[in-house]
Amino acid sequence: MAAGGGGSRAAKSTAKGKAKNKKRHNKKPLSQHHLVSLVATATSLAHSFLSQNDLLLLPSQTLTLETLLSSTSTSLSTLLCFPNPPPQPPLRPPPPPLECWFSRFLSATSASRNFDSLWSHTFRMSEHSFSILLSLLSPFLNSTIPSIPPNFVLAAAIYRLAHGASYKAVGRRFGLDSVEACRAFFAVCKAVSDKLGNLFEFRSDIARIVGGFGWISLPNCCGVLGFGRFGVGGEVLGPNGSLLVQALVDSEGRFLDVSAGWPSAMKLESIFRQTKLYLGVEESRDLLNGPVYELGNGKAIPQYILGDSCFPLLPWLLTPYIRSDEADSFGSLEKAFNSVHSRAMGLVDTAFGRVRARWQLLSRQWKEECVEFMPFVIVTGCLLHNFLIKCSEPMPDDNVKSLREEELPVFHGQVDESGERMRDVLATHLSRVSLRR
């Protein structure tokens, strides 16, 4: 009896399963009209969600959602352009017009301190630092774009720099059209370059710079010199083309000197010898002319900077020891020097990494038609980086690449004997310091 009952239940279960499968197979596919209706309704709901919650979402979230909605709307328009299109489904009425996003953002942040973190996420700086920057740049912005409040101009430009947003997306948030958003962006870049250019402090604050490197056992060092690379699409700079930026940084990661906009196809030595830094040392002699530092044992070292292996070794530019033969090994002096030198070069890589992490517009590959403006924007990003260090803003650590993205070719030109002597003197000193530890 038990076996018979079990067989009956199994048969019933099989019959029910067949009936369900039959129902599934009998379901008709969605008609084009029904599909368009569903997509339009979902799009309308997403737009409504975005308009009601845009103050609570992070900029990256709103920009991603807007991109998805834009592509969905384009696909929907394509469907409606087919021959004999179905009647367009009724859409939910759009939400009532609101003030622009930034006006509502200002009202919300002034009414509640809960929005402090959102301010930093949105503009990559605190409200206090933004206010200081606004006070510095307002006179220039008022005279350049008098029709738009300076806080809107500055906020729109910083938003684009921070998130790589299009001019259309920026304009939508700040009540501007795309042309106004573009004007605002470059007006702020010009204002930063003019008003904050003194934050490249190599000429004005050498005592602080030397003191900072002294704390990391590099006596009389005045900076670390290296290159950063910023990608450019298209063929104008050749395949995998990019712009190179030569930068000198201090022990805290501040930019001391920046020379931007060199095509990656140029020889690095040629770039170096055309920069104001090189000419200021070699020709006008108004840089690195401070007092020598007594190391003891009758040895002294003049002011110098450390440079990557792609630079020529000079009396004032000390590059790492390079093995002429792979079978050769370094002695203790060379190892001590190269170890300290390598850590110091990481300051350049980290500084560029932080600029890209804070200002996402610079982390993206630029279109070739925009390449002429790119050096201007890079310098702006570096100056704002220095400004925010001065304001004691926390540095971005997420996605910061402190390692080399790409090894640069080693310089193989004529060796400067005076440069070799200076490097050996410093290497001897560093070796002694490491032994004492």
Side-chain angles (χ1 to χ4, degrees):
M1 292 293 291
S8 175
R9 283 194 296 272
K12 288 179 181 179
S13 176
T14 302
K16 286 181 181 178
K18 288 181 178 179
K20 285 182 180 179
N21 287 334
K22 187 175 181 182
K23 286 182 180 179
R24 289 195 193 100
H25 290 304
N26 287 339
K27 282 186 177 180
K28 295 181 179 179
L30 288 175
S31 67
Q32 185 179 352
H33 172 76
H34 193 190
L35 176 62
V36 170
S37 177
L38 288 174
V39 173
T41 300
T43 302
S44 178
L45 288 171
H47 275 296
S48 179
F49 170 82
L50 185 58
S51 65
Q52 293 172 21
N53 296 279
D54 58 356
L55 289 178
L56 303 176
L57 298 171
L58 296 176
S60 58
Q61 294 170 329
T62 58
L63 290 168
T64 300
L65 186 53
E66 284 177 0
T67 301
L68 292 172
L69 288 173
S70 176
S71 62
T72 302
S73 298
T74 301
S75 300
L76 186 60
S77 300
T78 302
L79 284 172
L80 293 172
C81 289
F82 285 161
N84 302 317
Q88 188 168 355
L91 298 176
R92 294 190 176 205
L98 298 169
E99 291 182 290
C100 76
W101 171 85
F102 188 55
S103 294
R104 292 181 288 113
F105 179 89
L106 291 176
S107 298
T109 52
S110 63
S112 172
R113 305 313 300 176
N114 294 331
F115 284 90
D116 284 353
S117 62
L118 185 58
W119 187 286
S120 295
H121 278 299
T122 303
F123 297 108
R124 298 291 195 258
M125 66 183 77
S126 66
E127 185 177 3
H128 178 66
S129 295
F130 182 90
S131 298
I132 296 173
L133 184 60
L134 180 63
S135 67
L136 293 171
L137 304 186
S138 279
F140 181 91
L141 299 179
N142 274 323
S143 63
T144 306
I145 312 181
S147 59
I148 306 173
N151 61 330
F152 275 67
V153 175
L154 179 58
I158 295 296
Y159 189 94
R160 171 167 165 75
L161 188 61
H163 305 289
S166 67
Y167 291 123
K168 183 178 180 181
V170 171
R172 186 163 49 242
R173 283 163 175 74
F174 295 88
L176 311 173
D177 60 35
S178 296
V179 174
E180 290 173 325
C182 180
R183 286 183 60 210
F185 180 71
F186 284 105
V188 169
C189 288
K190 181 69 164 61
V192 167
S193 180
D194 288 352
K195 301 299 180 183
L196 302 185
N198 62 323
L199 294 181
F200 290 153
E201 299 176 336
F202 188 50
R203 294 172 181 269
S204 62
D205 203 6
I206 196 69
R208 178 194 64 78
I209 297 165
V210 170
F213 280 105
W215 282 103
I216 56 175
S217 302
L218 283 168
N220 229 16
C221 181
C222 298
V224 184
L225 190 67
F227 280 102
R229 189 183 294 271
F230 294 81
V232 177
E235 297 297 324
V236 66
L237 296 178
N240 301 316
S242 59
L243 286 184
L244 294 176
V245 180
Q246 180 185 285
L248 183 71
V249 304
D250 69 8
S251 60
E252 299 175 66
R254 287 182 177 91
F255 290 93
L256 302 174
D257 180 87
V258 173
S259 181
W262 303 96
S264 55
M266 280 188 69
K267 290 185 177 180
L268 300 180
E269 182 191 4
S270 177
I271 294 173
F272 167 63
R273 294 187 187 278
Q274 294 180 59
T275 60
K276 289 182 179 179
L277 174 64
Y278 176 84
L279 298 175
V281 178
E282 290 287 344
E283 294 190 4
S284 63
R285 306 285 181 178
D286 60 348
L287 296 175
L288 300 180
N289 55 9
V292 299
Y293 183 88
E294 298 295 334
L295 296 173
N297 298 325
K299 299 294 185 180
I301 190 165
Q303 291 182 339
Y304 64 92
I305 62 179
L306 297 180
D308 207 345
S309 57
C310 62
F311 293 107
L313 173 65
L314 299 170
W316 56 271
L317 178 60
L318 305 185
T319 59
Y321 288 97
I322 302 296
R323 289 180 295 186
S324 57
D325 189 326
E326 288 297 323
D328 295 340
S329 60
F330 289 134
S332 59
L333 296 184
E334 290 89 349
K335 287 180 180 178
F337 180 85
N338 279 6
S339 176
V340 174
H341 187 283
S342 177
R343 289 197 299 273
M345 289 308 307
L347 293 167
V348 179
D349 302 319
T350 299
F352 276 124
R354 285 173 170 168
V355 165
R356 290 190 184 95
R358 190 187 292 278
W359 311 125
Q360 290 290 305
L361 185 62
L362 296 177
S363 69
R364 302 182 178 185
Q365 189 176 66
W366 278 50
K367 297 178 181 178
E368 60 182 338
E369 59 267 26
C370 302
V371 69
E372 63 179 296
F373 303 111
M374 195 175 182
F376 191 41
V377 180
I378 293 170
V379 170
T380 298
C382 293
L383 284 170
L384 288 173
H385 168 86
N386 284 7
F387 170 77
L388 294 176
I389 291 178
K390 205 173 186 70
C391 291
S392 300
E393 288 281 338
M395 289 294 101
D397 289 321
D398 296 340
N399 303 317
V400 171
K401 295 180 180 178
S402 59
L403 299 177
R404 290 293 158 91
E405 296 178 3
E406 183 178 337
E407 289 294 332
L408 297 171
V410 174
F411 175 77
H412 288 296
Q414 185 176 357
V415 175
D416 185 289
E417 293 182 0
S418 180
E420 283 188 314
R421 286 194 299 272
M422 288 299 101
R423 184 172 62 183
D424 289 344
V425 167
L426 183 58
T428 301
H429 169 76
L430 294 175
S431 178
R432 288 174 179 165
V433 169
S434 64
L435 288 175
R436 287 199 295 267
R437 291 176 179 174

